Amino acid sequence: MGFLIRPAQRQDLEQILKIYNAEILTGTATWNDQEKSLEDFLNWFNTLIAQQFPLFVAEHPESKQIAGYADYSSFRQITGFKHTVEHSVFIHPDFIGQSLGKALMLKLMDHAQHNHIHVMVAAIDAENSASIALHEKLGFKQTGYMPEVGQKFGQWRDLVLMQLNLNP
């Protein structure tokens, strides 16, 4: 079944928020430990728009449910990094294993290339082998490993840094 990959709209934020907050409560794809509010996500959405960064959603064609989303934004707030972005992809648990992560990543990569982004960076929990494998398949290379730089659920977490040069 083909999902529609499209730019997110304001009315998508409640479903996006549910996906993200579920990950906060149960997963390690984000190391945030406090649920976000709709106001938090509205501010985030408006900042992405103001800075001309993308937010894409994968929409189920029949139910119109948001099955996943992806974005990128500044890697660091220093002008020398203006052509480098860090991205994130989150998939609703009911839709894992349907290649939505790959579809959203390809959309982000295409957008980045058309917007003169030189490097995309992924910061991935070291135990997220599925995400690491997907990034490798898409041409990302591991460029860093940072042990015990964060915590989640009372455990120290290791971070894998991967990057893709979009115009080598």
Side-chain angles (χ1 to χ4, degrees), residues 141-157:
K141 305 287 184 219
Q142 182 174 323
T143 54
Y145 188 90
M146 303 174 74
E148 298 186 3
V149 293
Q151 283 192 337
K152 184 80 183 257
F153 306 128
Q155 296 179 338
W156 287 108
R157 308 300 303 175

Side-chain angles (χ1 to χ4, degrees), residues 124-166:
I124 306 169
D125 186 286
E127 292 182 13
N128 190 342
S129 57
S131 182
I132 291 169
L134 171 61
H135 282 81
E136 287 173 342
K137 286 179 189 169
L138 294 174
F140 282 74
K141 305 287 184 219
Q142 182 174 323
T143 54
Y145 188 90
M146 303 174 74
E148 298 186 3
V149 293
Q151 283 192 337
K152 184 80 183 257
F153 306 128
Q155 296 179 338
W156 287 108
R157 308 300 303 175
D158 298 349
L159 189 68
V160 170
L161 297 174
M162 301 183 80
Q163 71 182 62
L164 176 67
N165 187 331
L166 292 167

Side-chain angles (χ1 to χ4, degrees), residues 2-151:
F3 286 80
L4 173 64
I5 307 292
R6 61 167 175 79
Q9 300 169 8
R10 188 180 184 136
Q11 60 264 30
D12 299 323
L13 292 179
E14 280 190 50
Q15 290 188 68
I16 292 169
L17 178 65
K18 286 179 184 175
I19 293 169
Y20 189 75
N21 279 340
E23 187 63 28
I24 287 174
L25 295 174
T26 64
T28 57
T30 178
W31 294 348
N32 278 320
D33 61 2
Q34 299 293 314
E35 288 183 88
K36 299 293 181 181
S37 69
L38 188 54
E39 182 180 352
D40 293 332
F41 264 54
L42 186 56
N43 290 336
W44 168 68
F45 181 69
N46 289 333
T47 299
L48 288 174
I49 290 172
Q51 296 177 354
Q52 299 180 326
F53 288 128
L55 173 60
F56 295 111
V57 295
E59 181 183 75
H60 189 277
E62 294 166 9
S63 70
K64 305 298 183 197
Q65 180 180 353
I66 301 303
Y69 70 94
D71 71 283
Y72 68 70
S73 60
S74 297
F75 173 63
R76 298 193 65 195
Q77 296 295 324
I78 298 169
T79 56
F81 291 104
K82 69 182 177 184
H83 297 289
T84 300
V85 295
E86 183 176 348
H87 66 276
S88 58
V89 177
F90 291 91
I91 306 298
H92 188 287
D94 292 348
F95 297 99
I96 290 173
Q98 298 184 38
S99 298
L100 290 178
K102 180 179 180 182
L104 286 162
M105 281 295 305
L106 291 171
K107 186 74 170 177
L108 281 181
M109 291 162 61
D110 182 62
H111 185 278
Q113 285 182 311
H114 282 82
N115 285 276
H116 311 291
I117 299 301
H118 183 62
V119 173
M120 291 183 74
V121 174
I124 306 169
D125 186 286
E127 292 182 13
N128 190 342
S129 57
S131 182
I132 291 169
L134 171 61
H135 282 81
E136 287 173 342
K137 286 179 189 169
L138 294 174
F140 282 74
K141 305 287 184 219
Q142 182 174 323
T143 54
Y145 188 90
M146 303 174 74
E148 298 186 3
V149 293
Q151 283 192 337

